[in-house]
Amino acid sequence: MTIDDHLGQGRGAPRTGETRRMTGARSTSRDIERYADLFAQRTKVMRSSAMRDLMAITARPEVISLAGGLPDTSTFPPATFAAQMTRIAQESSAEALQYGPTEGFGETKSAIRMVMEAEGMSPDTADIIVTTGGQQALDLIAKTLVDPGDVVICEAPTYPGAVPVFCSYEAETHQVAMDDEGMRIDELEALCDWLDAAGRKPKFIYSVPSFQNPAGVTLSLERRRRLVELARRREVLVVEDNPYGLLRYEGDPVPPLYQLEGGDYVIYVGTLSKILSPGIRIGWAVAPPPVMEKIALGKQATDLCTSTLAQYFALEYFAEGGWRAYIESLCEIYRARRDAMLEALERHFPPQATWTRPGGGLFVWATLPAYIDTSDLLAKALRENVAFVPGAAAYVDGAEGTNSMRLNFSGSTEAEIREGVRRIGAVVSAQVELYETITAEHRLPQPAAPQPGADVVPLRPPHKEE
Ligand SMILES: Cc1ncc(COP(=O)(O)O)c(C=O)c1O
């Protein structure tokens, strides 16, 4: 009996021409039961990305979404887009509609090298593979390196979209705390020692060192040096994921790990999603040749090649020469939105809350009193037509970060940000008041604003050794 027959018996044969979709609507447990014996073991540990689940809800026009990680694509001039696509159609139609090489066109790799040079890196284009977004690069790296049960280390909190990747490949993921200078390297050393004593070695350390998603924190230069030194000494790979390095709103640039280390132990992941468009799905990885060969084999099996049309569009865009100016214009807009968010938090969040003050990127990470669960709070916020990402999404076990939230400031206007933060603040304040009434406990206000000169409010109290 085929699955179609089976479904036909179970719920009545589909009408002619009816398409059955298992993905759009949530499958019921009865649906899942029908297929249960067919699923691979690994599907048991697959996790949904919290952001993608939320996107369905936040697509409603009345919802102010501070949940997504969306760049503001309305800033890209439609006339430029139209002219570029027209030129492609007129001058390279057959080529742009054709398959391309798995590792990407040489011209795309040269454009990528140019983007990396803007942050001081100069990779060999032979070490670059063009991927379908940075997300695919992460997936391919995990596919290449991780067997079930292998150890992967990442930051706490980590990029929520990396969590489903590590889960899919059945990694044993350990998260290392951060403070206002990024990942705690002393804790990382201690974890590596502990693993070493058990005869285990991490397959890689995953980090978003600049304007981290979700925390907005930047790894300090001193810690970057220690991290690459640790990688070399222990012969462990570091995966540096850097979508936000060029979206800097203040301060001096800090060199990427790839530049500091020289490329032997750092696999670099980049993307055009936040500096041009996530819709074109162009990202890349830079890795030493033996690793790159395996990643390319993995990509062949996944999608043969990244969209040729998208690569042609990117080439047109870079050939025009205005890409640095476009990034500058994005920085202007996002700086003002970040400031609007920080002001609104100051104004509308209760004094018991703290939050980071990112010098770039797209996110603020807010932490509420421990008795508030932000997953529960989200349900209340959605009733007020506003959304954020609950902090638990940034933790592999989902048990930590439960009193934190990620707030995005790039995808909404300043007015929407102010109103969105006001609504969330009201829901938070109601929870705090309720708790204090019930427990009659009036906690001392914690400072909501950062210390003068500090980049961010610490996520955790600094360790005394540092
Ligand atoms: C840290 C990080 N890595 C990777 C990605 C994936 O980006 P894309 O697949 O659009 O290139 C994102 C997107 O938000 C991100 O924040």
Side-chain angles (χ1 to χ4, degrees):
M1 184 186 288
T2 66
I3 291 172
D4 274 86
D5 295 337
H6 198 84
L7 281 167
Q9 283 186 353
R11 45 157 77 148
R15 277 171 270 132
T16 317
E18 183 181 342
T19 35
R20 222 186 283 114
R21 291 173 56 91
M22 294 298 295
T23 46
R26 276 261 170 259
S27 307
T28 64
S29 53
R30 230 167 98 70
D31 282 334
I32 292 170
E33 253 172 53
R34 290 198 175 101
Y35 296 89
D37 291 345
L38 302 179
F39 291 138
Q41 251 334 87
R42 80 180 75 86
T43 62
K44 296 203 170 74
V45 287
M46 279 181 175
R47 285 254 305 261
S48 168
S49 154
M51 289 121 26
R52 301 224 65 85
D53 286 350
L54 269 173
M55 267 174 97
I57 304 169
T58 57
R60 298 199 321 251
E62 67 275 20
V63 176
I64 297 176
S65 179
L66 306 179
L70 308 188
D72 188 343
T73 45
S74 74
T75 57
F76 195 85
T80 309
F81 183 35
Q84 284 163 347
M85 292 309 270
T86 306
R87 228 176 358 256
I88 292 167
Q90 284 169 347
E91 293 169 17
S92 329
S93 175
E95 297 88 337
L97 297 176
Q98 192 51 273
Y99 290 112
T102 298
E103 65 279 6
F105 290 112
E107 295 89 333
T108 316
K109 295 199 225 176
S110 300
I112 285 169
R113 188 184 144 101
M114 195 167 67
V115 173
M116 290 181 68
E117 278 170 350
E119 286 192 81
M121 295 168 276
S122 42
D124 188 334
T125 48
D127 295 348
I128 298 176
I129 185 166
V130 181
T131 57
T132 303
Q135 187 71 27
Q136 188 188 49
L138 297 180
D139 186 78
L140 292 174
I141 290 166
K143 186 180 189 177
T144 303
L145 299 175
V146 176
D147 282 320
D150 279 350
V151 173
V152 167
I153 299 177
C154 62
E155 289 142 347
T158 191
Y159 163 47
V163 172
V165 176
F166 302 151
C167 289
S168 294
Y169 291 100
E170 301 173 65
E172 181 184 306
T173 308
H174 294 259
Q175 295 191 256
V176 173
M178 290 197 292
D179 59 24
D180 58 341
E181 286 185 54
M183 192 193 278
R184 292 279 305 272
I185 306 300
D186 58 333
E187 292 202 5
L188 176 64
E189 288 275 15
L191 174 60
C192 290
D193 284 344
W194 179 76
L195 289 166
D196 207 27
R200 305 182 74 194
K201 190 167 149 176
K203 276 296 174 76
F204 60 83
I205 300 161
Y206 170 70
S207 172
V208 184
S210 294
F211 314 126
Q212 201 240 18
N213 178 2
V217 176
T218 292
L219 190 66
S220 66
L221 178 58
E222 191 256 338
R223 287 197 193 170
R224 285 178 195 233
R225 292 208 170 105
R226 284 169 61 195
L227 177 54
V228 297
E229 187 274 320
L230 175 151
R232 210 164 252 288
R233 177 169 30 92
R234 294 183 183 263
E235 300 193 318
V236 173
L237 289 171
V238 174
V239 175
E240 173 176 37
D241 188 4
N242 186 27
Y244 306 108
L246 289 172
L247 295 177
R248 168 177 291 279
Y249 315 137
E250 61 196 33
D252 295 326
V254 194
L257 302 171
Y258 181 86
Q259 185 194 345
L260 286 178
E261 197 274 340
D264 282 349
Y265 288 98
V266 175
I267 299 180
Y268 184 88
V269 175
T271 178
L272 298 183
S273 285
K274 311 298 160 125
I275 56 167
L276 172 55
S277 148
I280 62 169
R281 309 302 304 129
I282 292 192
W284 66 91
V286 187
V291 182
M292 183 51 68
E293 278 161 32
K294 298 288 183 205
I295 291 177
L297 289 178
K299 183 169 167 68
Q300 278 179 28
T302 301
D303 67 353
L304 304 179
C305 65
T306 290
S307 162
T308 307
L309 183 57
Q311 290 185 64
Y312 267 72
F313 169 69
L315 291 180
E316 279 289 326
Y317 172 70
F318 284 106
E320 243 179 26
W323 66 280
R324 294 299 293 265
Y326 181 59
I327 294 175
E328 271 166 34
S329 72
L330 286 177
C331 287
E332 286 287 304
I333 294 167
Y334 296 160
R335 183 186 297 113
R337 291 180 183 180
R338 175 206 59 176
D339 291 346
M341 178 166 278
L342 293 176
E343 278 160 31
L345 282 163
E346 207 69 70
R347 192 161 169 184
H348 299 296
F349 267 40
Q352 291 85 348
T354 58
W355 52 88
T356 55
R357 300 178 65 85
L362 310 185
F363 306 104
V364 169
W365 179 255
T367 300
L368 308 177
Y371 53 82
I372 295 183
D373 184 318
T374 49
S375 297
D376 295 343
L377 196 79
L378 177 62
K380 295 187 174 76
L382 284 171
R383 259 178 254 140
E384 303 301 320
N385 285 327
V386 63
F388 55 82
V389 173
Y395 288 84
V396 174
D397 65 6
E400 287 179 79
T402 51
N403 58 326
S404 296
M405 62 172 73
R406 189 192 76 176
L407 297 165
N408 166 265
F409 54 79
S410 59
S412 309
T413 62
E414 287 164 50
E416 287 166 340
I417 289 167
R418 285 193 196 95
E419 176 56 18
V421 171
R422 188 194 67 74
R423 290 184 202 173
I424 299 172
V427 175
V428 174
S429 298
Q431 287 287 105
V432 170
E433 272 167 38
L434 183 68
Y435 178 85
E436 292 188 346
T437 308
I438 290 170
T439 60
E441 176 185 335
H442 294 273
R443 288 156 182 248
L444 283 175
Q446 296 165 9
Q451 304 303 314
D455 197 20
V456 292
V457 175
L459 297 170
R460 311 228 166 169
H463 193 271
K464 54 178 180 306
E465 284 168 24
E466 291 216 329

PDB file of all heavy atoms in Angstrom, residues 144-171:
ATOM      1  N   THR A 144      29.816  17.821   7.119  1.00  0.00           N
ATOM      2  CA  THR A 144      31.170  17.373   6.819  1.00  0.00           C
ATOM      3  C   THR A 144      31.917  16.895   8.065  1.00  0.00           C
ATOM      4  O   THR A 144      32.731  15.974   7.990  1.00  0.00           O
ATOM      5  CB  THR A 144      31.964  18.549   6.183  1.00  0.00           C
ATOM      6  OG1 THR A 144      31.254  18.979   5.030  1.00  0.00           O
ATOM      7  CG2 THR A 144      33.367  18.154   5.789  1.00  0.00           C
ATOM      8  N   LEU A 145      31.648  17.528   9.203  1.00  0.00           N
ATOM      9  CA  LEU A 145      32.507  17.285  10.367  1.00  0.00           C
ATOM     10  C   LEU A 145      31.879  16.478  11.496  1.00  0.00           C
ATOM     11  O   LEU A 145      32.601  15.903  12.313  1.00  0.00           O
ATOM     12  CB  LEU A 145      32.973  18.634  10.950  1.00  0.00           C
ATOM     13  CG  LEU A 145      33.796  19.548  10.032  1.00  0.00           C
ATOM     14  CD1 LEU A 145      34.054  20.882  10.716  1.00  0.00           C
ATOM     15  CD2 LEU A 145      35.130  18.884   9.672  1.00  0.00           C
ATOM     16  N   VAL A 146      30.553  16.460  11.565  1.00  0.00           N
ATOM     17  CA  VAL A 146      29.924  15.946  12.796  1.00  0.00           C
ATOM     18  C   VAL A 146      29.284  14.574  12.607  1.00  0.00           C
ATOM     19  O   VAL A 146      28.390  14.402  11.772  1.00  0.00           O
ATOM     20  CB  VAL A 146      28.856  16.959  13.306  1.00  0.00           C
ATOM     21  CG1 VAL A 146      28.120  16.411  14.520  1.00  0.00           C
ATOM     22  CG2 VAL A 146      29.503  18.303  13.627  1.00  0.00           C
ATOM     23  N   ASP A 147      29.756  13.602  13.394  1.00  0.00           N
ATOM     24  CA  ASP A 147      29.065  12.312  13.516  1.00  0.00           C
ATOM     25  C   ASP A 147      28.172  12.385  14.751  1.00  0.00           C
ATOM     26  O   ASP A 147      28.435  13.195  15.666  1.00  0.00           O
ATOM     27  CB  ASP A 147      30.096  11.180  13.707  1.00  0.00           C
ATOM     28  CG  ASP A 147      30.751  10.795  12.389  1.00  0.00           C
ATOM     29  OD1 ASP A 147      30.049  10.753  11.366  1.00  0.00           O
ATOM     30  OD2 ASP A 147      31.973  10.536  12.387  1.00  0.00           O
ATOM     31  N   PRO A 148      27.134  11.527  14.815  1.00  0.00           N
ATOM     32  CA  PRO A 148      26.283  11.550  16.007  1.00  0.00           C
ATOM     33  C   PRO A 148      27.105  11.405  17.286  1.00  0.00           C
ATOM     34  O   PRO A 148      28.007  10.575  17.357  1.00  0.00           O
ATOM     35  CB  PRO A 148      25.354  10.342  15.799  1.00  0.00           C
ATOM     36  CG  PRO A 148      25.286  10.191  14.311  1.00  0.00           C
ATOM     37  CD  PRO A 148      26.650  10.566  13.808  1.00  0.00           C
ATOM     38  N   GLY A 149      26.825  12.262  18.252  1.00  0.00           N
ATOM     39  CA  GLY A 149      27.522  12.197  19.542  1.00  0.00           C
ATOM     40  C   GLY A 149      28.783  13.039  19.604  1.00  0.00           C
ATOM     41  O   GLY A 149      29.354  13.227  20.670  1.00  0.00           O
ATOM     42  N   ASP A 150      29.233  13.566  18.453  1.00  0.00           N
ATOM     43  CA  ASP A 150      30.426  14.416  18.469  1.00  0.00           C
ATOM     44  C   ASP A 150      30.135  15.724  19.213  1.00  0.00           C
ATOM     45  O   ASP A 150      29.006  16.219  19.208  1.00  0.00           O
ATOM     46  CB  ASP A 150      30.855  14.779  17.032  1.00  0.00           C
ATOM     47  CG  ASP A 150      31.659  13.665  16.376  1.00  0.00           C
ATOM     48  OD1 ASP A 150      32.033  12.713  17.081  1.00  0.00           O
ATOM     49  OD2 ASP A 150      31.905  13.759  15.156  1.00  0.00           O
ATOM     50  N   VAL A 151      31.207  16.272  19.788  1.00  0.00           N
ATOM     51  CA  VAL A 151      31.040  17.504  20.567  1.00  0.00           C
ATOM     52  C   VAL A 151      31.208  18.736  19.685  1.00  0.00           C
ATOM     53  O   VAL A 151      32.148  18.834  18.897  1.00  0.00           O
ATOM     54  CB  VAL A 151      32.071  17.558  21.724  1.00  0.00           C
ATOM     55  CG1 VAL A 151      32.006  18.914  22.434  1.00  0.00           C
ATOM     56  CG2 VAL A 151      31.833  16.430  22.713  1.00  0.00           C
ATOM     57  N   VAL A 152      30.264  19.662  19.816  1.00  0.00           N
ATOM     58  CA  VAL A 152      30.353  20.985  19.203  1.00  0.00           C
ATOM     59  C   VAL A 152      30.206  21.990  20.338  1.00  0.00           C
ATOM     60  O   VAL A 152      29.398  21.783  21.247  1.00  0.00           O
ATOM     61  CB  VAL A 152      29.222  21.175  18.160  1.00  0.00           C
ATOM     62  CG1 VAL A 152      29.093  22.628  17.742  1.00  0.00           C
ATOM     63  CG2 VAL A 152      29.464  20.297  16.935  1.00  0.00           C
ATOM     64  N   ILE A 153      31.003  23.055  20.283  1.00  0.00           N
ATOM     65  CA  ILE A 153      30.907  24.089  21.323  1.00  0.00           C
ATOM     66  C   ILE A 153      30.424  25.389  20.680  1.00  0.00           C
ATOM     67  O   ILE A 153      30.854  25.741  19.577  1.00  0.00           O
ATOM     68  CB  ILE A 153      32.292  24.322  21.997  1.00  0.00           C
ATOM     69  CG1 ILE A 153      32.779  23.023  22.667  1.00  0.00           C
ATOM     70  CG2 ILE A 153      32.219  25.453  23.014  1.00  0.00           C
ATOM     71  CD1 ILE A 153      34.166  23.122  23.287  1.00  0.00           C
ATOM     72  N   CYS A 154      29.519  26.071  21.361  1.00  0.00           N
ATOM     73  CA  CYS A 154      29.072  27.377  20.846  1.00  0.00           C
ATOM     74  C   CYS A 154      28.820  28.317  22.018  1.00  0.00           C
ATOM     75  O   CYS A 154      28.967  27.931  23.186  1.00  0.00           O
ATOM     76  CB  CYS A 154      27.827  27.218  19.978  1.00  0.00           C
ATOM     77  SG  CYS A 154      26.404  26.572  20.847  1.00  0.00           S
ATOM     78  N   GLU A 155      28.446  29.540  21.685  1.00  0.00           N
ATOM     79  CA  GLU A 155      28.212  30.534  22.722  1.00  0.00           C
ATOM     80  C   GLU A 155      26.853  30.323  23.394  1.00  0.00           C
ATOM     81  O   GLU A 155      25.964  29.716  22.814  1.00  0.00           O
ATOM     82  CB  GLU A 155      28.250  31.946  22.083  1.00  0.00           C
ATOM     83  CG  GLU A 155      29.643  32.361  21.653  1.00  0.00           C
ATOM     84  CD  GLU A 155      29.680  33.149  20.342  1.00  0.00           C
ATOM     85  OE1 GLU A 155      28.651  33.174  19.623  1.00  0.00           O
ATOM     86  OE2 GLU A 155      30.736  33.722  20.033  1.00  0.00           O
ATOM     87  N   ALA A 156      26.723  30.864  24.589  1.00  0.00           N
ATOM     88  CA  ALA A 156      25.438  30.835  25.293  1.00  0.00           C
ATOM     89  C   ALA A 156      25.027  32.283  25.580  1.00  0.00           C
ATOM     90  O   ALA A 156      25.678  32.928  26.386  1.00  0.00           O
ATOM     91  CB  ALA A 156      25.567  30.072  26.603  1.00  0.00           C
ATOM     92  N   PRO A 157      24.028  32.797  24.915  1.00  0.00           N
ATOM     93  CA  PRO A 157      23.168  32.198  23.904  1.00  0.00           C
ATOM     94  C   PRO A 157      23.870  32.107  22.545  1.00  0.00           C
ATOM     95  O   PRO A 157      24.855  32.806  22.316  1.00  0.00           O
ATOM     96  CB  PRO A 157      21.995  33.194  23.817  1.00  0.00           C
ATOM     97  CG  PRO A 157      22.627  34.524  24.161  1.00  0.00           C
ATOM     98  CD  PRO A 157      23.675  34.216  25.183  1.00  0.00           C
ATOM     99  N   THR A 158      23.330  31.246  21.659  1.00  0.00           N
ATOM    100  CA  THR A 158      23.897  31.112  20.317  1.00  0.00           C
ATOM    101  C   THR A 158      22.867  31.514  19.266  1.00  0.00           C
ATOM    102  O   THR A 158      21.683  31.712  19.585  1.00  0.00           O
ATOM    103  CB  THR A 158      24.374  29.669  20.063  1.00  0.00           C
ATOM    104  OG1 THR A 158      25.140  29.626  18.860  1.00  0.00           O
ATOM    105  CG2 THR A 158      23.198  28.682  19.918  1.00  0.00           C
ATOM    106  N   TYR A 159      23.308  31.628  18.021  1.00  0.00           N
ATOM    107  CA  TYR A 159      22.405  31.941  16.906  1.00  0.00           C
ATOM    108  C   TYR A 159      21.277  30.892  16.879  1.00  0.00           C
ATOM    109  O   TYR A 159      21.561  29.688  16.708  1.00  0.00           O
ATOM    110  CB  TYR A 159      23.225  31.928  15.608  1.00  0.00           C
ATOM    111  CG  TYR A 159      22.428  31.836  14.331  1.00  0.00           C
ATOM    112  CD1 TYR A 159      21.314  32.645  14.093  1.00  0.00           C
ATOM    113  CD2 TYR A 159      22.801  30.933  13.324  1.00  0.00           C
ATOM    114  CE1 TYR A 159      20.589  32.554  12.916  1.00  0.00           C
ATOM    115  CE2 TYR A 159      22.094  30.837  12.140  1.00  0.00           C
ATOM    116  CZ  TYR A 159      20.986  31.642  11.945  1.00  0.00           C
ATOM    117  OH  TYR A 159      20.266  31.552  10.787  1.00  0.00           O
ATOM    118  N   PRO A 160      20.013  31.300  17.034  1.00  0.00           N
ATOM    119  CA  PRO A 160      18.928  30.311  17.114  1.00  0.00           C
ATOM    120  C   PRO A 160      18.852  29.401  15.883  1.00  0.00           C
ATOM    121  O   PRO A 160      18.445  28.241  16.001  1.00  0.00           O
ATOM    122  CB  PRO A 160      17.665  31.177  17.236  1.00  0.00           C
ATOM    123  CG  PRO A 160      18.146  32.454  17.851  1.00  0.00           C
ATOM    124  CD  PRO A 160      19.524  32.680  17.299  1.00  0.00           C
ATOM    125  N   GLY A 161      19.273  29.887  14.720  1.00  0.00           N
ATOM    126  CA  GLY A 161      19.243  29.062  13.513  1.00  0.00           C
ATOM    127  C   GLY A 161      20.337  28.003  13.477  1.00  0.00           C
ATOM    128  O   GLY A 161      20.292  27.080  12.654  1.00  0.00           O
ATOM    129  N   ALA A 162      21.327  28.116  14.366  1.00  0.00           N
ATOM    130  CA  ALA A 162      22.380  27.084  14.429  1.00  0.00           C
ATOM    131  C   ALA A 162      21.908  25.894  15.263  1.00  0.00           C
ATOM    132  O   ALA A 162      22.396  24.774  15.084  1.00  0.00           O
ATOM    133  CB  ALA A 162      23.660  27.666  15.032  1.00  0.00           C
ATOM    134  N   VAL A 163      20.956  26.145  16.159  1.00  0.00           N
ATOM    135  CA  VAL A 163      20.487  25.072  17.047  1.00  0.00           C
ATOM    136  C   VAL A 163      19.912  23.897  16.243  1.00  0.00           C
ATOM    137  O   VAL A 163      20.322  22.749  16.451  1.00  0.00           O
ATOM    138  CB  VAL A 163      19.475  25.631  18.087  1.00  0.00           C
ATOM    139  CG1 VAL A 163      18.838  24.509  18.891  1.00  0.00           C
ATOM    140  CG2 VAL A 163      20.164  26.644  19.002  1.00  0.00           C
ATOM    141  N   PRO A 164      18.995  24.143  15.273  1.00  0.00           N
ATOM    142  CA  PRO A 164      18.488  23.009  14.490  1.00  0.00           C
ATOM    143  C   PRO A 164      19.580  22.306  13.682  1.00  0.00           C
ATOM    144  O   PRO A 164      19.478  21.104  13.439  1.00  0.00           O
ATOM    145  CB  PRO A 164      17.469  23.642  13.534  1.00  0.00           C
ATOM    146  CG  PRO A 164      17.169  24.979  14.092  1.00  0.00           C
ATOM    147  CD  PRO A 164      18.335  25.392  14.903  1.00  0.00           C
ATOM    148  N   VAL A 165      20.617  23.029  13.283  1.00  0.00           N
ATOM    149  CA  VAL A 165      21.716  22.400  12.531  1.00  0.00           C
ATOM    150  C   VAL A 165      22.447  21.404  13.425  1.00  0.00           C
ATOM    151  O   VAL A 165      22.622  20.233  13.070  1.00  0.00           O
ATOM    152  CB  VAL A 165      22.713  23.456  11.989  1.00  0.00           C
ATOM    153  CG1 VAL A 165      23.888  22.780  11.294  1.00  0.00           C
ATOM    154  CG2 VAL A 165      22.024  24.432  11.051  1.00  0.00           C
ATOM    155  N   PHE A 166      22.848  21.866  14.603  1.00  0.00           N
ATOM    156  CA  PHE A 166      23.597  20.974  15.497  1.00  0.00           C
ATOM    157  C   PHE A 166      22.731  19.778  15.901  1.00  0.00           C
ATOM    158  O   PHE A 166      23.221  18.653  16.016  1.00  0.00           O
ATOM    159  CB  PHE A 166      24.096  21.733  16.745  1.00  0.00           C
ATOM    160  CG  PHE A 166      24.976  22.920  16.417  1.00  0.00           C
ATOM    161  CD1 PHE A 166      25.033  24.026  17.247  1.00  0.00           C
ATOM    162  CD2 PHE A 166      25.748  22.930  15.263  1.00  0.00           C
ATOM    163  CE1 PHE A 166      25.840  25.119  16.950  1.00  0.00           C
ATOM    164  CE2 PHE A 166      26.565  24.018  14.949  1.00  0.00           C
ATOM    165  CZ  PHE A 166      26.603  25.112  15.799  1.00  0.00           C
ATOM    166  N   CYS A 167      21.429  20.042  16.114  1.00  0.00           N
ATOM    167  CA  CYS A 167      20.528  18.939  16.499  1.00  0.00           C
ATOM    168  C   CYS A 167      20.384  17.934  15.354  1.00  0.00           C
ATOM    169  O   CYS A 167      20.405  16.733  15.571  1.00  0.00           O
ATOM    170  CB  CYS A 167      19.146  19.477  16.889  1.00  0.00           C
ATOM    171  SG  CYS A 167      19.168  20.352  18.447  1.00  0.00           S
ATOM    172  N   SER A 168      20.248  18.435  14.114  1.00  0.00           N
ATOM    173  CA  SER A 168      20.033  17.533  12.974  1.00  0.00           C
ATOM    174  C   SER A 168      21.167  16.532  12.808  1.00  0.00           C
ATOM    175  O   SER A 168      20.940  15.407  12.390  1.00  0.00           O
ATOM    176  CB  SER A 168      19.947  18.316  11.666  1.00  0.00           C
ATOM    177  OG  SER A 168      18.812  19.105  11.663  1.00  0.00           O
ATOM    178  N   TYR A 169      22.388  16.991  13.100  1.00  0.00           N
ATOM    179  CA  TYR A 169      23.531  16.082  12.940  1.00  0.00           C
ATOM    180  C   TYR A 169      23.871  15.368  14.250  1.00  0.00           C
ATOM    181  O   TYR A 169      24.923  14.747  14.363  1.00  0.00           O
ATOM    182  CB  TYR A 169      24.729  16.844  12.358  1.00  0.00           C
ATOM    183  CG  TYR A 169      24.442  17.232  10.914  1.00  0.00           C
ATOM    184  CD1 TYR A 169      24.026  18.510  10.592  1.00  0.00           C
ATOM    185  CD2 TYR A 169      24.504  16.281   9.903  1.00  0.00           C
ATOM    186  CE1 TYR A 169      23.697  18.851   9.279  1.00  0.00           C
ATOM    187  CE2 TYR A 169      24.181  16.601   8.600  1.00  0.00           C
ATOM    188  CZ  TYR A 169      23.775  17.893   8.287  1.00  0.00           C
ATOM    189  OH  TYR A 169      23.449  18.203   6.996  1.00  0.00           O
ATOM    190  N   GLU A 170      22.959  15.487  15.203  1.00  0.00           N
ATOM    191  CA  GLU A 170      23.046  14.754  16.476  1.00  0.00           C
ATOM    192  C   GLU A 170      24.335  15.051  17.241  1.00  0.00           C
ATOM    193  O   GLU A 170      24.971  14.159  17.808  1.00  0.00           O
ATOM    194  CB  GLU A 170      22.876  13.249  16.238  1.00  0.00           C
ATOM    195  CG  GLU A 170      21.542  12.926  15.576  1.00  0.00           C
ATOM    196  CD  GLU A 170      21.417  11.476  15.166  1.00  0.00           C
ATOM    197  OE1 GLU A 170      21.411  10.620  16.045  1.00  0.00           O
ATOM    198  OE2 GLU A 170      21.331  11.223  13.931  1.00  0.00           O
ATOM    199  N   ALA A 171      24.730  16.324  17.192  1.00  0.00           N
ATOM    200  CA  ALA A 171      25.920  16.732  17.940  1.00  0.00           C
ATOM    201  C   ALA A 171      25.591  16.802  19.428  1.00  0.00           C
ATOM    202  O   ALA A 171      24.444  17.032  19.808  1.00  0.00           O
ATOM    203  CB  ALA A 171      26.376  18.109  17.463  1.00  0.00           C
TER     204      ALA A 171
END
